[in-house]
Each structure stands twice: as structure tokens, then as C-alpha cells.
Amino acid sequence: MKSFLRHILRKAGIEIRLVKKDARSRVASLAKAGRGEDERLVQHLTDGENATFFGYHDKTPFSGDGSKILACSVAAVDTDPGAECSRMEIGYFKKGDSGTFQPDFQRLTHTDSWCWQQGCMLQWNPVKPDREILFNRSGNHYHGSVVFDVEKRTVVNEFDTPIYSLDPKGRYAASLNFSRLGRLRPGYGYSIVPDPTRGVPAPSEDGVILLDLQNGETSLLVSLEELADYTDRQSEHYINHITFSPSGDRIVFFHIYDDRSGQRVIRMYLFDIPTSTLQLLEATRRVSHYCWRNDKQLFTTESGPTGGNCLYYLYDLETKSKKEIPLPNIGDLHPMFHPADPNILVADSKPDRQGNQHLFLFDIESGGQGIGDRVQVIGNSVAGKEVGGDGLVTHIGTFYSPDAYRGSVRCDLHPRWDREGRYVVVDTAEGGRRKMAVVEVKGI
């Protein structure tokens, strides 16, 4: 009866949070009066009634010293795909003396180049991670990017090339055609500038682009035409999900197109910058998400060529091999490794049958011994599947996702670590509006 009543109230936009005495399932809100000794702190951050979020799971919004969390604020309706590329405010939330983050959104500037899934590619400059940020902003009929000084609140550099990800050493940025991405994969690119490659299945001058952040020069690392040579040249091809290795010498990316049966094909490639070498990592199974464990290893979430159950793998780039990681199957997830412990992943689930999204810590190597007796095994249903295991998983949060947040406007949790492993921050639509939630995980 309680579950049915909660479901009805949620449909009406009313959220009830029950706090159980069992510490394994307890989620405490900062709005509660105090915390019990075994409660986990969850602090919600929002710019008033505006939709407040960060973006994708492969970047940390925390400044180098941990005192600020970057965020984006949108006044438009956040279940409307057409709201993308309206005015978006860029700013941050600051940590107070008490150790929690102050609820006041500190506005810095604005942009018009963004999407619901990946935001405006907002991220800290690796060279000055407490002082400068980079993000995308359109120019005169083109997508560009800027470097912005948070303290002076001024633009210190501009590029007529947008950014996707940054080299961890701050030398380069990886880029792609965001107009083409937005047209072929709604929710991931930008529609504000027309796609000049429309009607061309595999352009020879489009693909994975490297931007030199020192002089603004660009180079095409690999073209869509070259990638299409190995597949179906009649389909429209595009790039997505580019990330640098920790050393910044390698790039992994997805080459995507629809085959003649209408199935989306995702091919995962590795490009070595110093040697200009392209290597196909996966073409048989469909990789949905991944993250770097170190400079030689990648963790992936994969399904069969036509979908089906997700499996999890660790790729070794030196031995050119992969092995399955026997984690409990919670379906597709967004992973990110702990900043100090390469055995620990944070990851999320898609909404289950009750609309709940779940947040987990995984121990991928030591069978639970990496986090010792603190690891708790779940025995409930997540995303319609039974979750069990042998001490590999810790449940650290549950967030309700209203039905309106589906498709290209969905609000995945996209969990992201801070730089020490104390906090995880997620985007959530719990309560009927996007906001950010900071989950304290230190000591788990």
C-alpha cells in the first residue's frame, strides 16, 4: 500500500523520502535535522526553480582543491527537447566552513551550446583546476569554446573549435562535429548551428579532431571517410564519446552508424597520438559506456550486436586482450573509477520498474576484500533483475526518476567522483526538476 501511494504521489510531482533504520539502505537529506551516526549525507544543490545539472559521467565538476562544484542552470522546461541551446547559466556551488556545499548558485557566465545529456562540456582546466574552466559557446555560424577565469570572471581565451574532452595535462582538446552529432543522435549534440555535412554519409574532412590549446591549431586525426571504408559507406557515420588516457597520449572514441537493418552499430577505436596509429578495439559487441582505469586498461559496459543483457569487461591495451568482470548484472551503467583506488568503480542503473535509479560502488578485483567488511550485498530487484553477488557491490543511493524524463531528455545519474574519493555527485530529476545531489561516501 505504501509503495502504491508513493507511486501515485510521484506521478503528481510529490516526493516522499522514507528513512529506514537499517544503515545499508538509509539515505539522509541535508534538510533533515541532523544526522545519525550511521546516516549517509545526501545534499541537494539547485538554482532555485531552474533545472540544475552538470552533464556527462566522464568529467569531474569538482575544482582541484574540492571547494567548488561546477553546475549549469536552465530556466526552460527540462522535459522539452526543444529547450536545448536556449540560454544556459554557468556557475558553481561553493563549500562552506561546515564542510557542506552552500545552496547559493554562483553565476559566472552563460552559453547557448549545450544538450541535456552532455551539457556544454563544462570542465576545469587541468593546468589551472582551481582557477579556469572551459566550455562550448557558439560564434558567428560556428560552434566554438572558451577558457574562462573564475576569479576575474572574464574570458581569457577563445577557440573557433568546440571541445569534447581535455588531455589531463592540458595540452590538447579532442573535438567533433556537434551539429552532426546532434542531428544523428538527439540529446548529445547541438542544433543551434546547421550541420554543413548534411547529406554526406562519411565526410572526408570530418571526424576526430585534435585542438592544440596553446596555439588554437587543429588537425584531423581520423576522418569519417576512413572509418566508413571498413563498413557501410552508404550509411551516415558519426563520432561520439571521446576521452583521453590518463597520460594524454591516447584517445578512445566511438564510431557509430546504422546498418541496413536499422540497427545501431558502435565500433570502439583507440588512436595513439605520438605514433598516429589507429586500432579497432571492439566491433562485434556493442559498447555503450566506458572509462579509463589507467593508461593501459579500459572498463566497458557491453551488450550483444542487437542488444540483450549487459556484460562488463576490462580491456588490456598492452596485451590486446579483454576479460569479463563478473559483477552483478544491473544493466547498462555509467562508470567512473575512484581517483585513488583503481579497484573501485562508482556506477548507476537505469530506472527500474518503479522508476528508481540506483547508485553503486563496485569492487572489480578483490571479491569485496578491497573495501573489506564494509561491502554490503544487495538482494533486491534492480532494473527488473535480481541483484546478488559475492561481496562486489555496495548500494549507496536511490533516486526516483519521473516518467517525463525519458528518451533524449532523460536524466541519468551520471555519477562523478570528486578528486579525493570523498564525494560522488549525480544529476537527478527527483521531485520533478533537475538538480544535483552530492553523496558523501568517505568511510564506506
Side-chain angles (χ1 to χ4, degrees), residues 115-129:
C115 57
W116 286 122
Q117 296 308 307
Q118 302 189 119
C120 60
M121 296 302 175
L122 178 63
Q123 51 203 295
W124 292 97
N125 187 345
V127 178
K128 298 180 179 180

Side-chain angles (χ1 to χ4, degrees), residues 209-362:
I209 299 166
L210 190 69
L211 168 64
D212 189 319
L213 295 173
Q214 303 304 312
N215 56 30
E217 295 181 357
T218 60
S219 56
L220 184 63
L221 299 183
V222 57
S223 72
L224 287 171
E225 181 181 54
E226 178 183 351
L227 295 171
D229 281 342
Y230 309 112
T231 59
D232 183 355
R233 291 182 58 87
Q234 303 305 311
S235 299
E236 288 200 280
H237 297 253
Y238 63 100
I239 303 295
N240 203 2
H241 300 326
I242 312 174
T243 62
F244 284 89
S245 64
S247 70
D249 290 335
R250 292 169 164 176
I251 290 175
V252 167
F253 65 92
F254 289 170
H255 162 221
I256 308 173
Y257 65 97
D258 289 345
D259 65 17
R260 297 188 181 186
S261 67
Q263 291 288 334
R264 182 183 301 156
V265 178
I266 301 176
R267 294 161 65 88
M268 184 170 69
Y269 280 94
L270 171 73
F271 188 90
D272 187 85
I273 298 174
T275 63
S276 296
T277 303
L278 181 67
Q279 178 185 344
L280 179 63
L281 295 179
E282 184 61 55
T284 303
R285 295 187 61 81
R286 182 189 294 177
V287 183
S288 54
H289 302 99
Y290 71 93
C291 64
W292 289 90
R293 186 189 193 191
N294 51 49
D295 216 50
K296 300 177 181 179
Q297 294 181 317
L298 294 165
F299 176 90
T300 65
T301 297
E302 303 181 14
S303 60
T306 58
N309 289 339
C310 287
L311 297 176
Y312 314 112
Y313 293 92
L314 195 65
Y315 284 71
D316 191 303
L317 303 180
E318 295 299 307
T319 62
K320 297 183 179 180
S321 62
K322 60 184 283 191
K323 68 175 181 178
E324 183 180 348
I325 303 299
L327 299 177
N329 190 340
I330 65 167
D332 195 8
L333 51 81
H334 300 93
M336 188 180 192
F337 275 102
H338 188 284
D341 189 335
N343 290 338
I344 306 302
L345 274 170
V346 65
D348 59 348
S349 75
K350 299 292 185 181
D352 62 20
R353 287 171 293 186
Q354 287 73 45
N356 291 318
Q357 298 166 291
H358 300 274
L359 191 61
F360 302 92
L361 296 183
F362 290 125

Side-chain angles (χ1 to χ4, degrees), residues 3-21:
S3 177
F4 176 75
L5 178 60
R6 177 186 288 180
H7 181 71
I8 295 299
L9 291 172
R10 282 171 166 175
K11 291 285 188 180
I14 302 172
E15 176 64 28
I16 293 179
R17 175 65 62 86
L18 299 178
V19 179
K20 297 182 179 181
K21 293 182 179 180

Side-chain angles (χ1 to χ4, degrees), residues 132-194:
E132 292 181 355
I133 58 175
L134 288 88
F135 58 91
N136 290 334
R137 178 185 286 173
S138 66
N140 186 19
H141 305 298
Y142 66 89
H143 291 304
S145 55
V146 301
V147 182
F148 190 90
D149 188 306
V150 171
E151 293 186 12
K152 293 183 178 180
R153 302 191 175 220
T154 58
V155 173
V156 296
N157 205 353
E158 296 183 73
F159 305 103
D160 58 5
T161 301
I163 60 171
Y164 194 102
S165 62
L166 296 177
D167 157 27
K169 294 182 179 180
R171 301 167 298 178
Y172 304 108
S175 183
L176 50 74
N177 183 343
F178 280 89
S179 294
R180 187 177 182 90
L181 176 59
R183 180 171 61 83
L184 297 175
R185 187 77 166 100
Y188 285 81
Y190 313 144
S191 60
I192 193 170
V193 176

